[in-house]
Amino acid sequence: MVLVAHGSRDPRAAEATRALARAVEAARPGTRVLPSWLDHTDPGPTEVLRALAADGHAEAVVVPLLLTAAYHRRVDVPAAVAAARETAPELAVRVTDVLGPADGTVDAGLLAGLRRRLAEAEPGGVDALVLAAAGTRDARARGSVGRVAVALADEFGLSCTVSYASAAPPTADVAVARLRAAGARRVAVAAYFLAPGLFHDGVVAAARAAGAVAVSGPLTDAPELADLVLRRVDAATPV
């Protein structure tokens, strides 16, 4: 199994990916789980797949550690797999769906992981939520984030609005301020991130400055996320 993360200059992000790989291995003993990154951190997925083929492995499953099926899932991941198969055509490769909504369905485990991280942030009673995502210019990907916000609102029985750290409005501070202006007094922010880094740090600072009572940590190696990875693997089809 090859986990493919976006990659970041922040070393905490790479360690979060390694931690998730360890959690997935622990959840499915006997399976080798290798982390890789599209940028900033080595090794890349092409290198890992070629090494697996050289070691005699006949099959690999690639898991994009992404929350939306935007450019990286549509272009970068398939390109990495194609490059590996140019020199290792004997390696059978399957690629899973992203960890965010697949076919419009929000996985219950994803919601459970978000709930876990919110509980760890100890917000106490809250009366509104913000789902803070990294951001994308891809309208379909933003729609995917919106579906998670709707599901989270249903899960908590509260209103939940979306914010973005980049590429699209509103930012977390604006989203929190709007909810407070509308009458909410205890707004918590659910971080829709897989790993820590600059974007998550910015969300924490901005949301706190706007009056949020809590901002959750990234999903990282939450048990629910490891289980979701395995469900994606079991449902993957060959490329």
Side-chain angles (χ1 to χ4, degrees):
M1 193 184 307
V2 180
L3 307 185
V4 184
H6 179 280
S8 169
R9 292 183 178 88
D10 191 319
R12 294 174 298 168
E15 181 49 41
T17 304
R18 296 185 187 101
L20 178 58
R22 292 191 293 268
V24 174
E25 274 194 341
R28 184 161 291 181
T31 299
R32 189 178 180 190
V33 182
L34 302 172
S36 68
W37 294 267
L38 292 170
D39 201 4
H40 300 301
T41 305
D42 292 326
T46 299
E47 180 182 348
V48 173
L49 289 169
R50 286 172 175 166
L52 288 172
D55 287 345
H57 291 274
E59 181 181 5
V61 183
V62 171
V63 184
L65 297 184
L66 303 167
L67 291 170
T68 62
Y71 184 86
H72 296 302
R73 174 59 182 89
R74 296 197 316 271
V75 178
D76 290 340
V77 171
V81 172
R85 297 189 71 183
E86 285 180 2
T87 55
E90 72 282 5
L91 184 67
V93 180
R94 292 182 290 145
V95 181
T96 75
D97 284 325
V98 297
L99 302 183
D103 299 325
T105 302
V106 181
D107 189 274
L110 179 62
L111 292 177
L114 290 169
R115 178 183 279 277
R116 172 189 290 272
R117 292 300 188 233
L118 273 171
E120 291 169 351
E122 298 182 345
V126 300
D127 52 13
L129 295 170
V130 174
L131 181 69
T136 174
R137 294 182 177 87
D138 188 309
R140 290 173 297 178
R142 292 197 303 274
S144 167
V145 177
R147 284 191 288 276
V148 176
V150 169
L152 199 63
D154 291 343
E155 180 89 358
F156 281 86
L158 299 171
S159 64
C160 181
T161 189
V162 173
S163 74
Y164 296 103
S166 69
T171 53
D173 54 332
V174 171
V176 170
R178 286 175 179 171
L179 288 170
R180 286 172 55 80
R185 289 293 170 262
R186 294 185 57 82
V187 180
V189 178
Y192 195 46
F193 293 88
L194 294 177
L198 181 64
F199 279 170
H200 181 260
D201 289 347
V203 165
V204 172
R208 286 290 197 182
V213 297
V215 182
S216 67
L219 289 162
T220 57
D221 59 345
E224 297 85 357
L225 193 67
D227 290 342
L228 173 54
V229 166
L230 292 174
R231 283 194 293 279
R232 291 290 191 255
V233 166
D234 292 340
T237 57
V239 294

mmCIF file of all heavy atoms in Angstrom, residues 93-141:
data_model
loop_
_atom_site.group_PDB
_atom_site.id
_atom_site.type_symbol
_atom_site.label_atom_id
_atom_site.label_comp_id
_atom_site.label_asym_id
_atom_site.label_seq_id
_atom_site.Cartn_x
_atom_site.Cartn_y
_atom_site.Cartn_z
ATOM 1 N N VAL A 93 -1.341 -1.998 -10.497
ATOM 2 C CA VAL A 93 -1.579 -0.880 -9.587
ATOM 3 C C VAL A 93 -3.065 -0.550 -9.548
ATOM 4 O O VAL A 93 -3.715 -0.442 -10.590
ATOM 5 C CB VAL A 93 -0.786 0.374 -10.020
ATOM 6 C CG1 VAL A 93 -1.050 1.526 -9.052
ATOM 7 C CG2 VAL A 93 0.705 0.072 -10.083
ATOM 8 N N ARG A 94 -3.574 -0.422 -8.348
ATOM 9 C CA ARG A 94 -4.920 0.100 -8.144
ATOM 10 C C ARG A 94 -4.807 1.451 -7.444
ATOM 11 O O ARG A 94 -3.920 1.644 -6.614
ATOM 12 C CB ARG A 94 -5.765 -0.849 -7.291
ATOM 13 C CG ARG A 94 -6.093 -2.171 -7.970
ATOM 14 C CD ARG A 94 -6.972 -3.045 -7.093
ATOM 15 N NE ARG A 94 -6.250 -3.557 -5.933
ATOM 16 C CZ ARG A 94 -6.796 -3.744 -4.729
ATOM 17 N NH1 ARG A 94 -8.058 -3.412 -4.505
ATOM 18 N NH2 ARG A 94 -6.080 -4.232 -3.738
ATOM 19 N N VAL A 95 -5.698 2.371 -7.786
ATOM 20 C CA VAL A 95 -5.707 3.696 -7.170
ATOM 21 C C VAL A 95 -7.072 3.912 -6.530
ATOM 22 O O VAL A 95 -8.108 3.726 -7.175
ATOM 23 C CB VAL A 95 -5.425 4.806 -8.195
ATOM 24 C CG1 VAL A 95 -5.427 6.177 -7.514
ATOM 25 C CG2 VAL A 95 -4.093 4.572 -8.894
ATOM 26 N N THR A 96 -7.074 4.309 -5.279
ATOM 27 C CA THR A 96 -8.330 4.474 -4.551
ATOM 28 C C THR A 96 -8.946 5.846 -4.797
ATOM 29 O O THR A 96 -8.316 6.752 -5.347
ATOM 30 C CB THR A 96 -8.114 4.321 -3.035
ATOM 31 O OG1 THR A 96 -7.484 5.508 -2.526
ATOM 32 C CG2 THR A 96 -7.285 3.103 -2.697
ATOM 33 N N ASP A 97 -10.172 5.992 -4.338
ATOM 34 C CA ASP A 97 -10.783 7.317 -4.248
ATOM 35 C C ASP A 97 -10.051 8.136 -3.187
ATOM 36 O O ASP A 97 -9.338 7.591 -2.335
ATOM 37 C CB ASP A 97 -12.259 7.199 -3.843
ATOM 38 C CG ASP A 97 -13.145 6.744 -4.988
ATOM 39 O OD1 ASP A 97 -12.877 7.124 -6.138
ATOM 40 O OD2 ASP A 97 -14.111 5.997 -4.723
ATOM 41 N N VAL A 98 -10.257 9.445 -3.230
ATOM 42 C CA VAL A 98 -9.735 10.308 -2.175
ATOM 43 C C VAL A 98 -10.472 10.010 -0.877
ATOM 44 O O VAL A 98 -11.457 9.262 -0.853
ATOM 45 C CB VAL A 98 -9.885 11.796 -2.555
ATOM 46 C CG1 VAL A 98 -9.072 12.120 -3.799
ATOM 47 C CG2 VAL A 98 -11.357 12.167 -2.755
ATOM 48 N N LEU A 99 -10.027 10.608 0.209
ATOM 49 C CA LEU A 99 -10.631 10.333 1.511
ATOM 50 C C LEU A 99 -11.874 11.181 1.774
ATOM 51 O O LEU A 99 -12.651 10.872 2.676
ATOM 52 C CB LEU A 99 -9.595 10.551 2.619
ATOM 53 C CG LEU A 99 -8.327 9.696 2.495
ATOM 54 C CD1 LEU A 99 -7.402 9.947 3.681
ATOM 55 C CD2 LEU A 99 -8.666 8.218 2.381
ATOM 56 N N GLY A 100 -12.036 12.241 0.998
ATOM 57 C CA GLY A 100 -13.261 13.021 1.087
ATOM 58 C C GLY A 100 -14.401 12.295 0.399
ATOM 59 O O GLY A 100 -14.272 11.121 0.026
ATOM 60 N N PRO A 101 -15.540 12.958 0.214
ATOM 61 C CA PRO A 101 -16.712 12.297 -0.371
ATOM 62 C C PRO A 101 -16.408 11.620 -1.700
ATOM 63 O O PRO A 101 -15.794 12.214 -2.587
ATOM 64 C CB PRO A 101 -17.704 13.451 -0.549
ATOM 65 C CG PRO A 101 -17.332 14.420 0.524
ATOM 66 C CD PRO A 101 -15.837 14.347 0.616
ATOM 67 N N ALA A 102 -16.816 10.369 -1.811
ATOM 68 C CA ALA A 102 -16.693 9.611 -3.053
ATOM 69 C C ALA A 102 -18.098 9.371 -3.590
ATOM 70 O O ALA A 102 -18.978 8.919 -2.855
ATOM 71 C CB ALA A 102 -15.985 8.281 -2.802
ATOM 72 N N ASP A 103 -18.304 9.711 -4.851
ATOM 73 C CA ASP A 103 -19.635 9.580 -5.462
ATOM 74 C C ASP A 103 -20.687 10.340 -4.660
ATOM 75 O O ASP A 103 -21.837 9.908 -4.545
ATOM 76 C CB ASP A 103 -20.035 8.108 -5.587
ATOM 77 C CG ASP A 103 -19.076 7.330 -6.479
ATOM 78 O OD1 ASP A 103 -18.589 7.916 -7.457
ATOM 79 O OD2 ASP A 103 -18.812 6.155 -6.186
ATOM 80 N N GLY A 104 -20.274 11.456 -4.073
ATOM 81 C CA GLY A 104 -21.211 12.295 -3.339
ATOM 82 C C GLY A 104 -21.506 11.848 -1.926
ATOM 83 O O GLY A 104 -22.255 12.508 -1.211
ATOM 84 N N THR A 105 -20.921 10.732 -1.502
ATOM 85 C CA THR A 105 -21.212 10.176 -0.181
ATOM 86 C C THR A 105 -20.116 10.548 0.810
ATOM 87 O O THR A 105 -18.932 10.335 0.550
ATOM 88 C CB THR A 105 -21.324 8.644 -0.249
ATOM 89 O OG1 THR A 105 -22.352 8.294 -1.179
ATOM 90 C CG2 THR A 105 -21.659 8.065 1.117
ATOM 91 N N VAL A 106 -20.520 11.093 1.950
ATOM 92 C CA VAL A 106 -19.577 11.428 3.016
ATOM 93 C C VAL A 106 -19.449 10.212 3.924
ATOM 94 O O VAL A 106 -20.429 9.764 4.523
ATOM 95 C CB VAL A 106 -20.058 12.647 3.824
ATOM 96 C CG1 VAL A 106 -19.053 12.989 4.920
ATOM 97 C CG2 VAL A 106 -20.273 13.849 2.908
ATOM 98 N N ASP A 107 -18.252 9.674 4.024
ATOM 99 C CA ASP A 107 -18.030 8.478 4.835
ATOM 100 C C ASP A 107 -18.268 8.783 6.316
ATOM 101 O O ASP A 107 -17.819 9.809 6.835
ATOM 102 C CB ASP A 107 -16.600 7.981 4.633
ATOM 103 C CG ASP A 107 -16.367 6.628 5.261
ATOM 104 O OD1 ASP A 107 -16.045 6.585 6.471
ATOM 105 O OD2 ASP A 107 -16.505 5.620 4.560
ATOM 106 N N ALA A 108 -18.964 7.867 6.980
ATOM 107 C CA ALA A 108 -19.248 8.052 8.405
ATOM 108 C C ALA A 108 -17.966 8.121 9.225
ATOM 109 O O ALA A 108 -17.901 8.815 10.245
ATOM 110 C CB ALA A 108 -20.140 6.920 8.913
ATOM 111 N N GLY A 109 -16.933 7.413 8.780
ATOM 112 C CA GLY A 109 -15.663 7.447 9.498
ATOM 113 C C GLY A 109 -14.997 8.806 9.422
ATOM 114 O O GLY A 109 -14.342 9.244 10.377
ATOM 115 N N LEU A 110 -15.145 9.487 8.290
ATOM 116 C CA LEU A 110 -14.596 10.837 8.164
ATOM 117 C C LEU A 110 -15.271 11.769 9.162
ATOM 118 O O LEU A 110 -14.610 12.556 9.854
ATOM 119 C CB LEU A 110 -14.793 11.344 6.738
ATOM 120 C CG LEU A 110 -14.281 12.757 6.438
ATOM 121 C CD1 LEU A 110 -12.776 12.850 6.647
ATOM 122 C CD2 LEU A 110 -14.649 13.161 5.010
ATOM 123 N N LEU A 111 -16.583 11.672 9.261
ATOM 124 C CA LEU A 111 -17.311 12.494 10.232
ATOM 125 C C LEU A 111 -16.896 12.149 11.657
ATOM 126 O O LEU A 111 -16.741 13.037 12.502
ATOM 127 C CB LEU A 111 -18.816 12.299 10.067
ATOM 128 C CG LEU A 111 -19.438 12.846 8.781
ATOM 129 C CD1 LEU A 111 -20.917 12.495 8.736
ATOM 130 C CD2 LEU A 111 -19.241 14.352 8.686
ATOM 131 N N ALA A 112 -16.704 10.858 11.923
ATOM 132 C CA ALA A 112 -16.299 10.447 13.269
ATOM 133 C C ALA A 112 -14.915 10.991 13.612
ATOM 134 O O ALA A 112 -14.650 11.375 14.757
ATOM 135 C CB ALA A 112 -16.319 8.927 13.377
ATOM 136 N N GLY A 113 -14.019 11.021 12.625
ATOM 137 C CA GLY A 113 -12.700 11.591 12.865
ATOM 138 C C GLY A 113 -12.770 13.078 13.160
ATOM 139 O O GLY A 113 -12.079 13.585 14.058
ATOM 140 N N LEU A 114 -13.605 13.802 12.419
ATOM 141 C CA LEU A 114 -13.781 15.230 12.683
ATOM 142 C C LEU A 114 -14.381 15.451 14.072
ATOM 143 O O LEU A 114 -13.975 16.367 14.800
ATOM 144 C CB LEU A 114 -14.680 15.848 11.610
ATOM 145 C CG LEU A 114 -14.073 15.949 10.204
ATOM 146 C CD1 LEU A 114 -15.145 16.327 9.190
ATOM 147 C CD2 LEU A 114 -12.928 16.962 10.172
ATOM 148 N N ARG A 115 -15.336 14.614 14.432
ATOM 149 C CA ARG A 115 -15.933 14.720 15.767
ATOM 150 C C ARG A 115 -14.887 14.455 16.848
ATOM 151 O O ARG A 115 -14.843 15.154 17.873
ATOM 152 C CB ARG A 115 -17.102 13.743 15.905
ATOM 153 C CG ARG A 115 -17.753 13.754 17.276
ATOM 154 C CD ARG A 115 -18.860 12.725 17.384
ATOM 155 N NE ARG A 115 -20.100 13.191 16.814
ATOM 156 C CZ ARG A 115 -20.973 13.964 17.462
ATOM 157 N NH1 ARG A 115 -20.719 14.376 18.694
ATOM 158 N NH2 ARG A 115 -22.088 14.339 16.889
ATOM 159 N N ARG A 116 -14.033 13.455 16.634
ATOM 160 C CA ARG A 116 -12.982 13.144 17.602
ATOM 161 C C ARG A 116 -12.081 14.355 17.817
ATOM 162 O O ARG A 116 -11.780 14.738 18.949
ATOM 163 C CB ARG A 116 -12.149 11.960 17.114
ATOM 164 C CG ARG A 116 -10.899 11.686 17.979
ATOM 165 C CD ARG A 116 -9.993 10.650 17.350
ATOM 166 N NE ARG A 116 -10.576 9.328 17.383
ATOM 167 C CZ ARG A 116 -10.447 8.475 18.402
ATOM 168 N NH1 ARG A 116 -9.744 8.824 19.486
ATOM 169 N NH2 ARG A 116 -10.993 7.284 18.347
ATOM 170 N N ARG A 117 -11.619 14.943 16.720
ATOM 171 C CA ARG A 117 -10.700 16.071 16.848
ATOM 172 C C ARG A 117 -11.381 17.283 17.501
ATOM 173 O O ARG A 117 -10.744 18.018 18.268
ATOM 174 C CB ARG A 117 -10.137 16.447 15.481
ATOM 175 C CG ARG A 117 -9.205 15.390 14.880
ATOM 176 C CD ARG A 117 -8.006 15.142 15.766
ATOM 177 N NE ARG A 117 -7.010 14.278 15.141
ATOM 178 C CZ ARG A 117 -6.518 13.187 15.707
ATOM 179 N NH1 ARG A 117 -6.930 12.820 16.920
ATOM 180 N NH2 ARG A 117 -5.613 12.460 15.088
ATOM 181 N N LEU A 118 -12.652 17.483 17.226
ATOM 182 C CA LEU A 118 -13.363 18.575 17.899
ATOM 183 C C LEU A 118 -13.462 18.319 19.393
ATOM 184 O O LEU A 118 -13.260 19.226 20.211
ATOM 185 C CB LEU A 118 -14.763 18.743 17.300
ATOM 186 C CG LEU A 118 -14.877 19.647 16.075
ATOM 187 C CD1 LEU A 118 -16.269 19.550 15.472
ATOM 188 C CD2 LEU A 118 -14.569 21.104 16.443
ATOM 189 N N ALA A 119 -13.766 17.089 19.770
ATOM 190 C CA ALA A 119 -13.862 16.753 21.193
ATOM 191 C C ALA A 119 -12.522 16.965 21.887
ATOM 192 O O ALA A 119 -12.468 17.437 23.031
ATOM 193 C CB ALA A 119 -14.329 15.311 21.357
ATOM 194 N N GLU A 120 -11.427 16.632 21.201
ATOM 195 C CA GLU A 120 -10.097 16.825 21.783
ATOM 196 C C GLU A 120 -9.775 18.303 21.988
ATOM 197 O O GLU A 120 -8.983 18.653 22.867
ATOM 198 C CB GLU A 120 -9.046 16.181 20.882
ATOM 199 C CG GLU A 120 -9.104 14.660 20.869
ATOM 200 C CD GLU A 120 -8.238 14.044 19.788
ATOM 201 O OE1 GLU A 120 -7.716 14.784 18.935
ATOM 202 O OE2 GLU A 120 -8.096 12.802 19.795
ATOM 203 N N ALA A 121 -10.388 19.163 21.173
ATOM 204 C CA ALA A 121 -10.174 20.604 21.328
ATOM 205 C C ALA A 121 -10.946 21.176 22.510
ATOM 206 O O ALA A 121 -10.759 22.341 22.865
ATOM 207 C CB ALA A 121 -10.573 21.333 20.045
ATOM 208 N N GLU A 122 -11.820 20.362 23.096
ATOM 209 C CA GLU A 122 -12.580 20.715 24.297
ATOM 210 C C GLU A 122 -13.311 22.051 24.173
ATOM 211 O O GLU A 122 -13.101 22.967 24.968
ATOM 212 C CB GLU A 122 -11.647 20.738 25.512
ATOM 213 C CG GLU A 122 -11.004 19.392 25.802
ATOM 214 C CD GLU A 122 -10.118 19.411 27.033
ATOM 215 O OE1 GLU A 122 -9.779 20.510 27.502
ATOM 216 O OE2 GLU A 122 -9.786 18.323 27.520
ATOM 217 N N PRO A 123 -14.206 22.156 23.192
ATOM 218 C CA PRO A 123 -14.911 23.428 23.039
ATOM 219 C C PRO A 123 -16.035 23.641 24.052
ATOM 220 O O PRO A 123 -16.536 24.754 24.194
ATOM 221 C CB PRO A 123 -15.482 23.323 21.621
ATOM 222 C CG PRO A 123 -15.714 21.856 21.434
ATOM 223 C CD PRO A 123 -14.578 21.176 22.162
ATOM 224 N N GLY A 124 -16.449 22.574 24.757
ATOM 225 C CA GLY A 124 -17.641 22.701 25.587
ATOM 226 C C GLY A 124 -18.863 22.809 24.696
ATOM 227 O O GLY A 124 -18.863 22.364 23.551
ATOM 228 N N GLY A 125 -19.910 23.429 25.192
ATOM 229 C CA GLY A 125 -21.102 23.600 24.373
ATOM 230 C C GLY A 125 -20.868 24.625 23.278
ATOM 231 O O GLY A 125 -20.296 25.688 23.520
ATOM 232 N N VAL A 126 -21.276 24.303 22.064
ATOM 233 C CA VAL A 126 -21.149 25.241 20.949
ATOM 234 C C VAL A 126 -22.506 25.402 20.288
ATOM 235 O O VAL A 126 -23.373 24.524 20.384
ATOM 236 C CB VAL A 126 -20.106 24.769 19.913
ATOM 237 C CG1 VAL A 126 -18.738 24.634 20.570
ATOM 238 C CG2 VAL A 126 -20.509 23.454 19.269
ATOM 239 N N ASP A 127 -22.691 26.528 19.612
ATOM 240 C CA ASP A 127 -23.967 26.751 18.941
ATOM 241 C C ASP A 127 -23.824 26.969 17.441
ATOM 242 O O ASP A 127 -24.814 27.227 16.752
ATOM 243 C CB ASP A 127 -24.747 27.907 19.581
ATOM 244 C CG ASP A 127 -23.934 29.185 19.709
ATOM 245 O OD1 ASP A 127 -22.854 29.269 19.088
ATOM 246 O OD2 ASP A 127 -24.378 30.092 20.433
ATOM 247 N N ALA A 128 -22.609 26.850 16.908
ATOM 248 C CA ALA A 128 -22.397 26.927 15.461
ATOM 249 C C ALA A 128 -21.012 26.378 15.144
ATOM 250 O O ALA A 128 -20.109 26.394 15.990
ATOM 251 C CB ALA A 128 -22.527 28.362 14.954
ATOM 252 N N LEU A 129 -20.858 25.900 13.908
ATOM 253 C CA LEU A 129 -19.596 25.304 13.474
ATOM 254 C C LEU A 129 -19.116 25.938 12.174
ATOM 255 O O LEU A 129 -19.919 26.371 11.345
ATOM 256 C CB LEU A 129 -19.762 23.801 13.239
ATOM 257 C CG LEU A 129 -20.095 22.923 14.440
ATOM 258 C CD1 LEU A 129 -20.453 21.518 13.965
ATOM 259 C CD2 LEU A 129 -18.919 22.875 15.407
ATOM 260 N N VAL A 130 -17.801 25.939 12.016
ATOM 261 C CA VAL A 130 -17.164 26.274 10.740
ATOM 262 C C VAL A 130 -16.314 25.081 10.336
ATOM 263 O O VAL A 130 -15.551 24.553 11.154
ATOM 264 C CB VAL A 130 -16.280 27.529 10.854
ATOM 265 C CG1 VAL A 130 -15.505 27.760 9.553
ATOM 266 C CG2 VAL A 130 -17.119 28.755 11.197
ATOM 267 N N LEU A 131 -16.455 24.636 9.099
ATOM 268 C CA LEU A 131 -15.576 23.604 8.556
ATOM 269 C C LEU A 131 -14.503 24.323 7.750
ATOM 270 O O LEU A 131 -14.780 24.890 6.689
ATOM 271 C CB LEU A 131 -16.353 22.634 7.671
ATOM 272 C CG LEU A 131 -15.526 21.490 7.068
ATOM 273 C CD1 LEU A 131 -15.074 20.514 8.153
ATOM 274 C CD2 LEU A 131 -16.313 20.760 5.986
ATOM 275 N N ALA A 132 -13.279 24.316 8.260
ATOM 276 C CA ALA A 132 -12.186 25.068 7.643
ATOM 277 C C ALA A 132 -11.355 24.150 6.760
ATOM 278 O O ALA A 132 -10.734 23.206 7.248
ATOM 279 C CB ALA A 132 -11.308 25.701 8.719
ATOM 280 N N ALA A 133 -11.342 24.426 5.458
ATOM 281 C CA ALA A 133 -10.613 23.611 4.491
ATOM 282 C C ALA A 133 -9.456 24.403 3.897
ATOM 283 O O ALA A 133 -9.368 25.626 4.051
ATOM 284 C CB ALA A 133 -11.560 23.144 3.387
ATOM 285 N N ALA A 134 -8.584 23.698 3.175
ATOM 286 C CA ALA A 134 -7.409 24.351 2.600
ATOM 287 C C ALA A 134 -7.797 25.335 1.508
ATOM 288 O O ALA A 134 -7.263 26.439 1.430
ATOM 289 C CB ALA A 134 -6.453 23.304 2.047
ATOM 290 N N GLY A 135 -8.716 24.933 0.633
ATOM 291 C CA GLY A 135 -9.155 25.811 -0.436
ATOM 292 C C GLY A 135 -8.767 25.294 -1.803
ATOM 293 O O GLY A 135 -7.741 24.629 -1.976
ATOM 294 N N THR A 136 -9.597 25.588 -2.788
ATOM 295 C CA THR A 136 -9.360 25.167 -4.163
ATOM 296 C C THR A 136 -10.173 26.051 -5.095
ATOM 297 O O THR A 136 -11.233 26.564 -4.721
ATOM 298 C CB THR A 136 -9.762 23.692 -4.364
ATOM 299 O OG1 THR A 136 -9.646 23.357 -5.755
ATOM 300 C CG2 THR A 136 -11.192 23.436 -3.925
ATOM 301 N N ARG A 137 -9.677 26.216 -6.327
ATOM 302 C CA ARG A 137 -10.442 26.945 -7.338
ATOM 303 C C ARG A 137 -11.418 26.027 -8.070
ATOM 304 O O ARG A 137 -12.224 26.494 -8.869
ATOM 305 C CB ARG A 137 -9.491 27.599 -8.343
ATOM 306 C CG ARG A 137 -8.633 28.701 -7.744
ATOM 307 C CD ARG A 137 -7.744 29.353 -8.795
ATOM 308 N NE ARG A 137 -6.974 30.450 -8.233
ATOM 309 C CZ ARG A 137 -5.806 30.319 -7.634
ATOM 310 N NH1 ARG A 137 -5.270 29.108 -7.520
ATOM 311 N NH2 ARG A 137 -5.169 31.363 -7.149
ATOM 312 N N ASP A 138 -11.332 24.741 -7.812
ATOM 313 C CA ASP A 138 -12.175 23.750 -8.474
ATOM 314 C C ASP A 138 -13.567 23.750 -7.840
ATOM 315 O O ASP A 138 -13.726 23.401 -6.667
ATOM 316 C CB ASP A 138 -11.524 22.370 -8.337
ATOM 317 C CG ASP A 138 -12.224 21.301 -9.151
ATOM 318 O OD1 ASP A 138 -13.455 21.179 -9.037
ATOM 319 O OD2 ASP A 138 -11.531 20.565 -9.881
ATOM 320 N N ALA A 139 -14.569 24.131 -8.616
ATOM 321 C CA ALA A 139 -15.926 24.246 -8.075
ATOM 322 C C ALA A 139 -16.457 22.903 -7.593
ATOM 323 O O ALA A 139 -17.169 22.829 -6.584
ATOM 324 C CB ALA A 139 -16.860 24.836 -9.127
ATOM 325 N N ARG A 140 -16.120 21.822 -8.309
ATOM 326 C CA ARG A 140 -16.590 20.499 -7.883
ATOM 327 C C ARG A 140 -15.968 20.112 -6.544
ATOM 328 O O ARG A 140 -16.630 19.519 -5.689
ATOM 329 C CB ARG A 140 -16.257 19.456 -8.944
ATOM 330 C CG ARG A 140 -17.072 19.580 -10.218
ATOM 331 C CD ARG A 140 -16.573 18.628 -11.275
ATOM 332 N NE ARG A 140 -15.197 18.930 -11.657
ATOM 333 C CZ ARG A 140 -14.499 18.229 -12.544
ATOM 334 N NH1 ARG A 140 -15.037 17.168 -13.122
ATOM 335 N NH2 ARG A 140 -13.251 18.573 -12.849
ATOM 336 N N ALA A 141 -14.703 20.455 -6.369
ATOM 337 C CA ALA A 141 -14.044 20.149 -5.102
ATOM 338 C C ALA A 141 -14.662 20.955 -3.967
ATOM 339 O O ALA A 141 -14.863 20.440 -2.860
ATOM 340 C CB ALA A 141 -12.550 20.434 -5.208
#
